[in-house]
Amino acid sequence: YRLEGYNKDWIYTNEQKASFTNVPTGSYNLYIKAANNDGVWTESPLIIKITIHPPPWKTWWAYSLYTLVLSLIIFAIIFFISSRIALKRKLRYEHLVNVKQQELHLMKMDFFTHISHEIRTPLTLIMGPVEMLSGLLSNNLKVQKLLLTIKGNADRLLTLTNELLDFRKADAGHTHLTINCLNIVAFAKAQFEKFINEADKKRITFQFNSPKENILLYFDPHHMEIVLSNLLSNALKFTSEGGIVSLDLLDYNPDFVEIKVCDNGIGIPPEAHKHIFNNYYQADTGRVKHAGSGIGLAFSKALIELHKGKLSFYSSINTETRYNETCFIINLQRGKSHFEGNFTIIE
C-alpha cells in the first residue's frame, strides 16, 4: 500500500491493515495492491480516497475566533491607553483651572487687602476730628446726633476693614490666637448687648439664655467677638419685624460648651446649605438689601476651627406655616490641652 502525498515508496505487509501517523490535513489517495499465495499481484491497485479534517482548534471558524479575540484585546489596550491619556489630559486641565482659580483668589485677596489698608487710614483720620467736634459742640443736640451717626458709620466701616484684614490673615494661615481664660457667659452677654438697639428698632424679641452665670473657657476674645458679632448681625439682618432672635449657652456636656444663635427669619434655602461656608458665597434670598460681602460665615468658621472647635448650622423652611428656624451652633472644647502651635495662652 502507498498513501499518495505521504509515502513515496510502497509498503509491504502481511497484515490486513495499514497504519499512518501525523498525517497532515488534506485529501489523499490510498493505493492498495495484493498478491495471492503464488505471488501473483493484482494488475490495477485499489484506490481509496481519504480526507483528513483539521482538529477543532485549527478550523476556519477557530481562526476567526482567534482573530476576533485578538482584535478585542488590541482594541481594549488601545481604549485603555486612550482613556489614560484622556484622564491625564483632564487632570492636567483641572489642575491648570485650579491654579488659575487660586491665582485669581490671591489677586482678589491682595486687592481687597490693599484697598482695606487704603481705607483704614482715612477712616482713622475721620474719627479723630469727629470726636473733637463732639467734645466742642456737646451742647448742640442736633449736631451731636449727626456726629454720632458719622461716628457710628465710621466705626462700622473700620470694623469691616479690620475684619477683612483679619480674614486675609486667616486665609493665608497667618492668624495668631491669644488665648485667655474668661467667663464665656459674661463675654457672650456683652456681645449680645451691643445689638439690643438694633433689635429694638426692628421690634425683634431679643433673648439671651444661659444656665449659669459663670462658665470659664479658653478662647481668643478678639476673634470670638468677630464670630459672635457676625452670627448675631446675620440673625438680625435676616429676621423680619416682630421676629425672634436668641443667643443660648448650653452647659450639658463635660467636654465642650455649646453656643447657639437662632432666629425665625427667612431661613437658608436647601440648595445653599453646602455652600454657606464658602468664601464670597451669598445665598439668593430674594432680598437685595440684605446682600453682604460673603466672607462673614467663612471667616467665622475658620476662626472657630483655629480654636479647635466646630461651627455648624441647621435651617428649616416651612412654606405652609411660614415658621422658619435657623440656628448656628458653636462647639468649643473645655480646657487648654487642645491648643498647640501658633497660640499664646494667657492665664
Side-chain angles (χ1 to χ4, degrees):
Y1 63 91
R2 181 172 69 88
L3 186 62
E4 186 182 32
Y6 183 78
N7 300 121
K8 293 182 179 179
D9 302 321
W10 287 88
I11 298 173
Y12 293 85
T13 179
N14 292 325
E15 298 179 358
Q16 295 182 351
K17 65 179 181 179
S19 299
F20 303 94
T21 58
N22 297 325
V23 179
T25 300
S27 296
Y28 300 90
N29 290 326
L30 176 63
Y31 294 88
I32 302 173
K33 294 175 70 175
N36 58 17
N37 292 333
D38 296 328
V40 178
W41 292 88
T42 56
E43 294 182 359
S44 299
L46 175 68
I47 301 176
I48 301 175
K49 292 186 178 292
I50 298 175
T51 301
I52 305 296
H53 295 287
W57 57 88
K58 287 188 177 181
T59 56
W60 67 268
W61 54 264
Y63 284 111
S64 299
L65 181 62
Y66 300 153
T67 303
L68 178 62
V69 171
L70 181 62
S71 300
L72 290 175
I73 292 174
I74 294 173
F75 175 78
I77 293 173
I78 293 174
F79 179 78
F80 176 76
I81 294 174
S82 301
S83 299
R84 295 276 295 182
I85 294 173
L87 180 61
K88 288 182 179 180
R89 188 183 298 114
K90 182 180 178 181
L91 291 175
R92 176 176 170 79
Y93 174 75
E94 290 179 353
H95 174 70
L96 291 175
V97 170
N98 289 333
V99 169
K100 291 296 181 182
Q101 287 179 344
Q102 288 292 331
E103 291 176 354
L104 181 61
H105 175 70
L106 289 176
M107 289 173 62
K108 187 186 296 184
M109 291 306 303
D110 289 340
F111 172 75
F112 284 154
T113 304
H114 178 72
I115 293 297
S116 299
H117 278 293
E118 294 296 323
I119 291 175
R120 188 165 61 171
T121 301
L123 277 176
T124 306
L125 295 176
I126 287 171
M127 294 176 69
V130 168
E131 291 177 357
M132 290 177 62
L133 285 172
S134 180
L136 292 173
L137 303 172
S138 58
N139 296 325
N140 193 327
L141 296 179
K142 185 177 289 187
V143 173
Q144 281 293 318
K145 186 176 181 180
L146 292 173
L147 289 175
L148 284 175
T149 302
I150 295 172
K151 186 177 184 303
N153 288 320
D155 285 338
R156 177 61 177 159
L157 281 173
L158 188 59
T159 300
L160 289 173
T161 303
N162 290 331
E163 181 180 315
L164 188 56
L165 291 174
D166 287 338
F167 175 69
R168 181 67 179 100
K169 288 181 182 178
D171 192 62
H174 298 149
T175 300
H176 179 84
L177 298 184
T178 302
I179 306 300
N180 292 260
C181 184
L182 300 172
N183 179 8
I184 187 63
V185 178
F187 179 83
K189 191 171 185 179
Q191 308 312 314
F192 170 84
E193 290 173 349
K194 293 179 182 178
F195 294 89
I196 290 178
N197 290 335
E198 185 176 344
D200 290 341
K201 289 179 183 178
K202 296 182 68 175
R203 298 179 182 177
I204 290 174
T205 302
F206 205 36
Q207 301 173 344
F208 179 84
N209 304 299
S210 175
K212 298 179 181 178
E213 292 293 330
N214 190 7
I215 302 175
L216 293 179
L217 201 64
Y218 283 89
F219 61 92
D220 184 321
H222 169 66
H223 291 106
M224 194 58 62
E225 178 182 355
I226 293 173
V227 174
L228 292 178
S229 295
N230 274 328
L231 296 182
L232 288 170
S233 176
N234 284 343
L236 291 170
K237 184 189 299 181
F238 293 104
T239 301
S240 303
E241 184 175 325
I244 301 173
V245 174
S246 65
L247 174 59
D248 303 312
L249 272 74
L250 304 176
D251 190 35
Y252 62 88
N253 193 295
D255 297 324
F256 59 83
V257 174
E258 188 174 290
I259 304 171
K260 293 177 68 175
V261 177
C262 299
D263 66 76
N264 64 344
I266 61 176
I268 301 173
E271 63 272 12
H273 285 190
K274 63 181 179 180
H275 304 295
I276 200 69
F277 290 118
N278 292 353
N279 291 342
Y280 312 112
Y281 179 78
Q282 299 176 37
D284 184 10
T285 63
R287 300 188 181 187
V288 178
K289 63 180 180 180
H290 290 318
S293 62
I295 66 173
L297 288 177
F299 187 32
S300 297
K301 184 176 176 65
L303 291 178
I304 293 300
E305 289 177 349
L306 281 175
H307 281 80
K308 308 301 180 183
K310 180 182 178 182
L311 176 61
S312 58
F313 80 98
Y314 67 84
S315 182
S316 61
I317 299 177
N318 194 322
T319 55
E320 294 180 0
T321 63
R322 295 186 177 276
Y323 180 80
N324 305 326
E325 183 182 22
T326 300
C327 283
F328 283 86
I329 305 160
I330 302 171
N331 288 324
L332 295 175
Q333 297 184 54
R334 299 178 188 270
K336 59 180 179 180
S337 59
H338 53 282
F339 289 111
E340 297 177 0
N342 194 25
F343 301 103
T344 300
I345 300 178
I346 300 175
E347 298 291 348

